[in-house]
Amino acid sequence: MMSEMVRVCKPGGRIAMTTHFQSSNKAVARSTRSSIRFTRQLGWTTKLRKKDVLKGHPIMLERNQKISPMSVHTVIVARKNP
């Protein structure tokens, strides 16, 4: 997914996404693993790690924050390197 977004983005352009990433808190990550079967039926996963999605792409992270303190969703905005 990320490779295609980077491919079609013009140099200097922005890529924005909102998604659920696996928590960096090990206790929270462990507790969400129990919901994997259910979330797969909904079409998403609780195992997606932010570092794996962003790693190796020619982008610079501009924004990386939770939608709200209690939200499971994160907003990511990155700029493609010129």
Side-chain angles (χ1 to χ4, degrees):
M1 158 199 77
M2 193 65 185
S3 295
E4 184 64 9
M5 287 193 288
V6 171
R7 185 187 73 78
V8 299
C9 186
K10 66 182 180 180
R14 285 193 176 113
I15 297 169
M17 69 176 126
T18 302
T19 192
H20 172 270
F21 290 109
Q22 183 179 48
S23 177
S24 55
N25 179 313
K26 290 183 186 214
V28 173
R30 228 182 345 264
S31 71
T32 58
R33 282 190 201 124
S34 63
S35 64
I36 288 173
R37 256 159 114 203
F38 176 70
T39 59
R40 277 201 184 135
Q41 291 178 351
L42 296 174
W44 56 284
T45 181
T46 57
K47 292 181 5 176
L48 186 63
R49 295 187 313 177
K50 189 180 339 176
K51 68 179 184 177
D52 294 337
V53 171
L54 301 176
K55 180 175 67 177
H57 297 286
I59 57 173
M60 184 173 37
L61 204 56
E62 292 185 340
R63 183 175 172 197
N64 173 22
Q65 68 188 77
K66 292 279 189 188
I67 291 176
S68 70
M70 298 301 291
S71 178
V72 296
H73 291 91
T74 301
V75 173
I76 298 285
V77 178
R79 186 175 297 275
K80 184 173 178 180
N81 296 337

